[in-house]
Each structure stands twice: as C-alpha cells, then as structure tokens.
C-alpha cells in the first residue's frame, strides 16, 4: 500500500486520520499496513492504537482470512471526531485563505471559503471567538489584482480540460492587439504569478509550450480529442531562468547597481534563484542574476526604481533601460 499521508502528522491529527481510515476499511488493517500508510514505526502504531483504546474508542483485533491480525472498529462506531487544529495551524490556514483573495469570484476562492466555513463549525466557541478577530489581526493587501469575475465558466472549462487532458480550441487576444487569434491547444498547467492566472499549453502537434494570460482568453471550447500528458514536462523547467514567467533560450548575466539607501531592500529579498549581492564601499549594492531572457518584467523591475537603479550589463538591457528613460523624460518636456 503506497502512502499518501504526510510524514509530519501531529499525533492528534494522525489518530483522527487512523479512525477515519478504519471507519472506511471495515475489514480492518494490519500493523504493517498502518506502518506503510503513515510512514511511522511499528512502535508508534501500537502506541497510537493503545491511545485510541484508552480514549474509549471501540477498537479490537481479530484474525483475518489469511491468519494475520487485523485491527478494526466495532460496527456500532459511526462517529469520527472533527479535525483538531492548533492555533498556529489555524492561523496558517487563514493566511492561505487571504492570499488567494485576488481570485474572488472564481471557483478557487469560493471553494476555499466554503472549506473554511465548514471548519469553523468544528471549532470550540472560544476558538471561534478568537477567529472572529483574525480579519483585523492578519491582513493581506493585494497588489493590483486582475478581475476574473466574468471568467467563471471559462475557469471551470480550463479545470475540466486540465483534469481530463482534453484538446481545446481557444480564442486569444494578446496584449496590445485588437484581433483575436485562434489556437488548438493541449492545456498543461494553470499557473499563478503576481496575482494573475496563466495557462501553460502546447499548440496541437507542436513541442513548444506557450504561456497565455487567462484574462485574455476570449473563447475556450473542449474538443473530442484526448492527448497524452508529456512525461518529461515540468512547469518548473518552463520558467527556469526567467525573471517572472517569460523564459528564453539565451543566457544573460544581468548586473544592476542600486543606490545607497536601498541596500536592505535588495539584500533582504530573493528576486531570482541565481542572484548574488555585493555591497560596495559607498553603500551601494550590486545585484547579479543569470537569466534566459531579457523580459518586459525585468525592464519594469529596473524602471520601478527610477534613478536609484543602474544597469551595468548586459549591453542590450542597458540600451533598453536608457531608451525607456529617454522616452519617459520626453513626455514631460524640457525642465523648467
């Protein structure tokens, strides 16, 4: 029996899960099966079973058809107690709920809210009272989220296509374009990035994986064909080397100098897995990264710091940043 349970169960959580498992498996389970299922030692399993017996649960052992000892719950046992969460676990769950607030109006946010609502009914009055203050004590501010309120049906179709591996016909309007382009695609991954949803998909009978912003999908129809999910595909590999989600096939050593005063901001954050930070004598900081593409996200990142960020290399990025600054300056005319 292959284990799907996490190895870091607390004992209380594991005991409750064992009860649910035994309630579902009326024929019983052997010690070896429980060891494999929960990835713990035989001693731990015996200790857990003893704790359940001491707790008053109608647990007993009996010989199975093959002579092996099976642990079972008495037939009269029908109630499995609700999951008990520590305050730390409850806070963690609440923070997770707030993090997807930008998906309000989608099935994802709705389902998480429903799960959290069901959980509240299992909590003690004292914990529910504390939970009522969470909204003020733990707060998340969304950073310019996109709106998906009108994309509910589309998201259900995308999820259906992903799970059932269905070929789809999609109408897509790229950013800055007026015309809609048609694509026959094989959906591979629904990706979240900077509070936005993106679909990674292959064009039918092509190897290259493309990235589509969900909010720019105009139409989405599931076709009759089913495709084989590629065994060597990984969304992590698709974005490897990217500054954000747009990867390429190049190799650029990007070096950016930040003015004194921004040292803490640069050193305390992880902008890219390959980054290295060097402090300079004047208080400035140099950030270096190896990227596969010089994306628009990278350009926006540099420009967001205005004169406090200077690109030192590569030359292509230096030119793009310089041009963007010139164009921005031209909009304001000559200084008075």
């Amino acid at each position: 029996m292959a284990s799907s349970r996490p190895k870091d169960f607390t004992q209380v959580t594991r005991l409750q899960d064992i009860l649910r498992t035994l309630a579902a498996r009326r024929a019983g389970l052997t010690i070896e099966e429980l060891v494999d299922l929960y990835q713990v030692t035989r001693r731990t399993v015996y200790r857990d079973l003893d704790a359940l017996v001491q707790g008053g649960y109608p647990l007993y052992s009996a010989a199975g058809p093959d002579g092996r000892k099976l642990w079972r719950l008495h037939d009269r046992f029908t109630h499995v107690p609700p999951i008990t969460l520590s305050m730390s676990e409850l806070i963690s769950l609440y923070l997770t709920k707030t993090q997807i607030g930008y998906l309000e109006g989608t099935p994802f946010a709705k389902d998480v809210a429903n799960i959290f609502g069901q959980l509240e009914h299992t909590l003690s009055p004292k914990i529910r009272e504390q939970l009522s203050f969470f909204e003020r004590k733990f707060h998340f501010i969304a950073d310019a989220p996109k709106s998906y309120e009108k994309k509910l049906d589309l998201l259900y179709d995308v999820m259906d296509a992903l799970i059932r591996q269905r070929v789809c016909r999609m109408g897509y309007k790229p950013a800055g374009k007026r015309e809609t382009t048609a694509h026959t695609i094989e959906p591979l991954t629904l990706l979240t990035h900077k509070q936005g949803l993106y679909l990674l998909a292959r064009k039918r009978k092509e190897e290259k994986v493309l990235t589509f912003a969900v909010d720019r999908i105009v139409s989405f129809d599931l076709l009759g064909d089913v495709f084989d999910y590629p065994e060597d595909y990984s969304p992590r590999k698709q974005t490897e080397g990217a500054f954000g989600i747009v990867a390429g096939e190049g190799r650029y050593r990007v070096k950016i100098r930040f003015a004194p005063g921004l040292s803490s901001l640069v050193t305390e954050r992880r902008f890219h897995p390959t980054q290295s930070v060097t402090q300079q004598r004047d208080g400035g900081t140099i950030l270096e990264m190896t990227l596969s593409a010089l994306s628009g996200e990278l350009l926006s990142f540099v420009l967001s710091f205005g004169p406090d960020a200077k690109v030192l290399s590569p030359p292509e990025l230096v030119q793009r940043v310089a041009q963007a600054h010139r164009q921005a300056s031209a909009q304001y005319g000559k200084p008075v």
Side-chain angles (χ1 to χ4, degrees), residues 181-192:
T181 57
H183 305 274
T184 301
I185 62 167
E186 298 172 350
L188 300 176
T189 301
L190 185 63
L191 182 149
T192 59

Side-chain angles (χ1 to χ4, degrees), residues 211-282:
T211 303
F212 301 95
V214 169
D215 55 297
R216 296 181 192 144
I217 297 177
V218 178
S219 61
F220 195 86
D221 299 305
L222 278 67
L223 304 181
D225 294 342
V226 176
F227 67 92
D228 293 326
Y229 203 86
E231 293 183 3
D232 59 347
Y233 165 77
S234 166
R236 186 181 299 276
K237 290 182 180 179
Q238 288 302 128
T239 58
E240 194 171 27
F243 190 85
I245 59 174
V246 181
E249 299 180 355
R251 182 178 175 84
Y252 303 92
R253 188 60 179 173
V254 175
K255 186 182 293 186
I256 308 168
R257 184 187 187 279
F258 293 87
L262 294 182
S263 176
S264 297
L265 184 148
V266 178
T267 57
E268 293 173 0
R269 291 178 180 266
R270 185 171 180 263
F271 299 104
H272 194 266
T274 66
Q275 77 178 45
S276 63
V277 178
T278 305
Q279 297 283 9
Q280 297 191 297
R281 291 183 178 180
D282 65 351

Side-chain angles (χ1 to χ4, degrees), residues 32-139:
E32 288 73 24
E33 288 175 324
L34 290 168
V35 166
D36 184 59
L37 189 61
Y38 293 97
Q39 296 291 287
V40 294
T41 65
R42 290 174 60 89
R43 182 178 180 182
T44 297
V45 169
Y46 277 117
R47 186 168 61 244
D48 287 346
L49 295 175
D50 183 64
L52 292 173
V53 172
Q54 294 299 322
Y57 294 100
L59 193 64
Y60 70 100
S61 63
D66 58 356
R68 294 188 304 167
K69 182 182 292 185
L70 295 172
W71 286 85
R72 299 170 177 168
L73 280 171
H74 196 281
D75 290 341
R76 75 172 185 271
F77 181 80
T78 58
H79 174 67
V80 178
I83 295 175
T84 301
L85 297 179
S86 68
M87 183 54 66
S88 176
E89 290 169 333
L90 188 60
I91 291 172
S92 298
L93 186 61
Y94 181 80
L95 289 177
T96 300
K97 173 177 174 287
T98 63
Q99 294 297 310
I100 67 166
Y102 68 93
L103 293 175
E104 185 176 358
T106 70
F108 312 114
K110 180 180 179 182
D111 289 345
V112 170
N114 287 340
I115 292 171
F116 205 82
Q118 294 174 33
L119 176 64
E120 287 187 53
H121 293 299
T122 72
L123 303 176
S124 66
K126 181 179 180 180
I127 298 298
R128 282 202 300 271
E129 182 181 2
Q130 292 175 326
L131 183 63
S132 67
F133 289 95
F134 275 21
E135 187 173 351
R136 284 183 284 171
K137 294 181 178 180
F138 306 98
H139 189 58

